[in-house]
Amino acid sequence: MPFEYNTSMKCLSEIFFLSDPTVVARALLGKRLVRRLNGRRISGIINETEAYRGEDDLACHAHRGKTRRNAVMYANGGRAYIYFTYGMHWCLNAVCGAEGYPAAVLIRALQPEEGLDLIAAHRPGVKPALWCNGPAKICKAFNVDGELNGSLLTDSSNPLFIEEGIKVEDKSIHTSARIGIDSTPEPWHSIPWRFMITNEVGAC
């Protein structure tokens, strides 16, 4: 998927993240995740997301209430929720909604743009097509870990943020059930809150 990048793109505002996570998950497709590292930019176009909404969502980390691990999910939208899983992987989410309501969007995959040499160094021996095609892979490629948990994604002076990217038409979006939640009961197991870009889209 060919992309062009523009380093003058605006960072997303807090208002962008105050909507329902299903709305934000769709809207994040085509946006650009940026990691500043040692004076360099690593970036990529987000092409797959999943929404997790509130304590009623049995696939959401907050379904048992507020804990030390998920506390940032209860913050105002626009912060990074970064958690450790399987004893080895970090995963990046964007917190959504108003303060006190736990919701977030998992960044599942992206198309790398800038800092490809840095990504290659972080993903040695891995083919470029597999650098960022999973949430834990993104964190490895972008050198993201728990130190950045709670970071504002709406401030381009921060080491991690999200900015405008490319326009994605509805016809290029596919939805499906979220993955990796096999033990979650219905309707949460099958609800189509996974959003993906399925066709090439043009830069704007």
Side-chain angles (χ1 to χ4, degrees):
M1 192 183 300
F3 293 120
E4 296 178 2
Y5 63 85
N6 182 343
T7 56
S8 67
M9 284 289 186
K10 291 183 179 180
C11 199
L12 300 183
S13 68
E14 180 183 289
I15 293 174
F16 176 94
F17 294 97
L18 294 183
S19 298
D20 185 275
T22 58
V23 174
V24 176
R26 162 62 181 85
L28 278 173
L29 295 178
K31 300 300 187 285
R32 180 177 292 106
L33 178 69
V34 182
R35 171 77 161 104
R36 292 193 185 278
L37 187 66
N38 299 324
R40 298 276 307 279
R41 276 174 59 111
I42 303 173
S43 76
I45 293 293
I46 297 169
N47 57 23
E48 185 177 341
T49 60
E50 285 180 348
Y52 292 87
R53 186 170 74 183
E55 294 177 357
D56 292 337
D57 178 359
L58 297 186
C60 180
H61 283 182
H63 78 273
R64 289 192 176 92
K66 190 174 184 179
T67 66
R68 182 176 180 181
R69 182 197 193 201
N70 67 27
V72 71
M73 291 186 73
Y74 289 78
N76 213 42
R79 292 188 177 274
Y81 168 43
I82 302 168
Y83 64 85
F84 198 55
T85 186
Y86 297 116
M88 64 180 74
H89 299 305
W90 294 101
C91 294
L92 168 65
N93 302 255
V95 175
C96 306
E99 184 174 0
Y101 183 77
V105 172
L106 175 65
I107 311 300
R108 283 204 54 88
L110 57 76
Q111 176 68 37
E113 285 189 320
E114 301 170 84
L116 301 185
D117 58 323
L118 297 177
I119 292 176
H122 297 154
R123 303 282 284 135
V126 177
K127 296 179 179 179
L130 305 179
W131 278 347
C132 296
N133 65 333
K137 296 177 181 181
I138 292 171
C139 286
K140 289 178 181 177
F142 279 53
N143 194 30
V144 169
D145 60 23
E147 292 295 319
L148 296 175
N149 187 42
S151 297
L152 278 174
L153 298 173
T154 56
D155 185 348
S156 60
S157 68
N158 285 339
L160 185 69
F161 59 93
I162 302 176
E163 64 185 20
E164 294 291 347
I166 62 173
K167 184 178 181 180
V168 181
E169 302 292 340
D170 288 341
K171 65 182 179 181
S172 298
I173 303 302
H174 174 70
T175 61
S176 77
R178 296 170 292 184
I179 59 179
I181 57 168
D182 293 343
S183 63
T184 302
E186 298 293 358
W188 309 108
H189 181 266
S190 299
I191 201 163
W193 285 354
R194 180 185 178 209
F195 300 80
M196 296 160 282
I197 299 176
T198 54
N199 298 308
E200 287 191 6
V201 288
C204 65

